[in-house]
Amino acid sequence: MSNDTRTTGAWKETVGRAREWRTVDVVVAAVIGVAVGAVFWLWNILWTVTTPLFVAFPPGQAVIYGMWMISGVLGGLIIRKPGAALLTSVAAASVSAVLGTQWGIMVILDGTLQGILPELVFLLLGYRRWGMGAAVLAAAVAGISPAIRDNVFYNVTWPLGYQIAYGLIVIASSAAIAGVGARLLTTALAKAGALAPFPSARG
């Protein structure tokens, strides 16, 4: 079989999966979005109150950044259909914005970017691989967006070394908290029987 034939077949399968969204998929994506959005709101507060702890080395605060990447990765791992990562990430960001955040409406744009990037990783993996490696990769790639954006918009006055350190720490934190965390949470939910309607029920 040629590479073109395999590519065409994989693309048709992906489109087919995108058309197979069920009501339960949409509902669970919304539930994940609301739950994680509430966590984001609390994380916004945590970020604010911990800022003084990192006066000596501001980039170090990025060690807790990864939580903001978890919605898209978790949604993708649980629902396992094209668009799940993007939908849950946008939903979570929207809830966070409604509850109130120091970054205003920008969080919705952030949520969109942080949903698209892991979505692309799952797409490149053919929506077939959902293990720890896939989760960590998807989360790390999601972290690229804030690693660049924050340095451009918020950290522009920092020395270059600080900006590079910040970006690397954001990506590492995303991989650890959002990647490993989402994979472990999916496994725990599967063992508890909470994912019965989904392929992720197998772990």
Side-chain angles (χ1 to χ4, degrees), residues 135-159:
V136 169
L137 177 61
V141 171
I144 293 174
S145 172
I148 296 174
R149 190 274 327 251
D150 285 3
N151 279 327
V152 171
F153 287 96
Y154 304 120
N155 307 333
V156 66
T157 61
W158 285 3

Side-chain angles (χ1 to χ4, degrees), residues 12-14 25 32 41 50 90 105 117 159 164:
K12 287 182 178 179
E13 183 177 350
T14 298
D25 299 326
I32 294 172
W41 180 75
T50 58
V90 171
I105 200 68
L117 292 175
I164 293 174

Side-chain angles (χ1 to χ4, degrees), residues 52-155:
L53 302 177
F54 297 92
V55 172
F57 184 62
Q61 191 175 13
V63 296
I64 65 173
Y65 205 110
M67 180 60 72
W68 283 311
M69 304 300 115
I70 199 170
S71 56
V73 181
L74 183 62
L77 292 178
I78 289 177
I79 300 171
R80 300 188 180 183
K81 287 184 178 176
L86 176 58
L87 178 58
T88 54
S89 186
V90 171
S94 299
V95 170
S96 178
V98 169
L99 291 175
T101 169
Q102 58 267 52
W103 297 287
I105 200 68
M106 279 295 295
V107 298
I108 297 179
L109 174 60
D110 293 338
T112 301
L113 292 173
Q114 292 159 15
I116 289 174
L117 292 175
E119 192 74 59
L120 289 175
V121 172
F122 293 136
L123 173 62
L124 291 174
L125 295 175
Y127 293 100
R128 292 177 179 275
R129 297 175 59 185
W130 307 102
M132 184 64 77
V136 169
L137 177 61
V141 171
I144 293 174
S145 172
I148 296 174
R149 190 274 327 251
D150 285 3
N151 279 327
V152 171
F153 287 96
Y154 304 120
N155 307 333

Side-chain angles (χ1 to χ4, degrees), residues 154-188:
Y154 304 120
N155 307 333
V156 66
T157 61
W158 285 3
L160 179 60
Y162 271 21
Q163 292 185 14
I164 293 174
Y166 179 86
L168 293 175
I169 295 171
V170 166
I171 293 172
S173 176
S174 299
I177 298 177
V180 175
R183 181 59 257 183
L184 293 178
L185 182 55
T186 300
T187 300

